[in-house]
Amino acid sequence: MSEPIAILIACPAGEPAAALALGLVQAGLAACVNHLPGMRSTYRWKGEVVTDAEDLLLVKTTREAFAAVEAFVVEHHPYDVPEVVALPLVEGHAPYLAWLEASVDASQQGHARS
């Protein structure tokens, strides 16, 4: 059985986030991507503190697919250094977790796909 994870990806608001979400699911790298608009991020970039409007993607996938998701995001994300961080899903509704695992293309786990 695969290990389920949730990946957080901050994106520019609007179309860039929508395109990434759609691409990840179409490529079989994620079972589901929640697109959460309206986030404000404050961070340090190139020596300055910046606050920007962003959208947050919450990607439900497997740990085995992380490398392929990361490669896909790096290739398609407009940021120089995109946020791609994973959180373990320690518990979950068994039928949902089974669906999640079945929805991630096992042939792509561990491989980049564009």
Side-chain angles (χ1 to χ4, degrees):
M1 176 147 182
S2 298
E3 182 179 343
I5 61 171
I7 300 175
L8 305 176
I9 302 170
C11 300
E15 181 55 31
L20 266 177
L22 182 61
L24 287 166
V25 174
Q26 286 180 330
L29 298 173
C32 174
V33 178
N34 299 115
H35 183 159
L36 307 169
M39 179 174 77
R40 305 255 326 139
S41 295
T42 301
Y43 55 94
R44 185 174 304 280
W45 184 248
K46 297 184 178 182
E48 295 185 31
V49 175
V50 179
T51 299
D52 281 323
E54 293 185 301
D55 290 355
L56 180 66
L57 299 181
L58 179 58
V59 180
K60 272 66 71 75
T61 189
T62 63
R63 186 170 185 174
E64 296 78 7
F66 179 84
V69 170
E70 179 183 30
F72 185 95
V73 171
V74 167
E75 182 177 342
H76 295 93
H77 201 291
Y79 291 170
D80 293 337
V81 183
E83 172 187 6
V84 185
V85 296
L87 305 172
L89 299 179
V90 296
E91 294 289 339
H93 181 54
Y96 178 84
L97 295 179
W99 168 82
L100 186 157
E101 183 177 11
S103 297
V104 176
D105 184 353
S107 69
Q108 295 306 313
Q109 295 187 17
H111 303 289
R113 182 177 182 182
S114 38

